[in-house]
Amino acid sequence: MKRFERWFGAVAFAAAAVTLLVSSGKDGDWPAGIVFAALLLAAWVISPFFGSRQEPWASIKDKNDGGVVIFWRPGCVYCLRLRASLGRNGRRAHWVNIWRDPEGAAFVREHNHGNETVPTVLLGGEVLTNPEPGMVSRALAGR
């Protein structure tokens, strides 16, 4: 995927936020300020910077001790749902950003009929595509 395509959604939200800010002017319009902040937050959440914590798949696959490995990408709402549902337990998982890790992306394509469908989760040797967050949370709590 081209570098710009990864940023398109974030740039669109940021542009909408700036347009709102310019159009509302200095009227002290606090609802517009709230919308502005929400748009900037949305831009950050779907940008490649959000959730930048990642580990290279090459280092995980060699030493994987049956832990939970979550393959994700920025801007994926299902990945955001999983991350939010896991809460603090999510820190126990290994996170692989497939946009930054070609080997991780290849693993995901291999297990999803050539598609980069995320989240793809490796739970103790079993590969699951977009599993229920509760299942992943229980696996992480047991560690």
Side-chain angles (χ1 to χ4, degrees):
M1 176 174 270
K2 294 179 184 174
R3 189 171 279 240
F4 177 74
E5 290 172 351
R6 294 178 184 173
W7 283 95
F8 182 75
V11 170
F13 274 109
V18 169
T19 301
L20 175 68
L21 182 66
V22 170
S23 67
S24 66
K26 297 180 181 179
D27 297 335
D29 188 12
W30 64 268
I34 292 172
V35 173
F36 172 74
L39 287 171
L40 283 181
L41 178 65
W44 177 71
V45 165
I46 66 170
S47 78
F49 285 133
F50 181 73
S52 61
R53 180 178 169 258
Q54 75 146 14
E55 298 177 58
W57 173 235
S59 69
I60 297 170
K61 71 179 176 182
D62 294 335
K63 64 178 181 179
N64 190 13
D65 57 353
V68 177
V69 181
I70 301 171
F71 296 89
W72 69 285
R73 67 172 170 77
C76 168
V77 295
Y78 302 106
C79 297
L80 291 172
R81 173 181 152 243
L82 179 61
R83 185 180 294 268
S85 297
L86 295 178
R88 289 182 179 222
N89 280 340
R91 295 178 185 168
R92 296 179 183 162
H94 300 281
W95 293 83
V96 178
N97 181 344
I98 65 167
W99 278 359
R100 291 187 182 174
D101 191 332
E103 287 184 51
F107 177 86
V108 170
R109 284 191 305 272
E110 177 184 328
H111 290 88
N112 290 294
H113 310 289
N115 298 312
E116 289 185 353
T117 307
V118 287
T120 296
V121 180
L122 181 60
L123 283 174
E126 184 180 4
V127 179
L128 305 168
T129 302
N130 197 14
E132 287 297 318
M135 178 188 300
V136 179
S137 184
R138 285 189 296 276
L140 288 170
R143 291 196 49 80

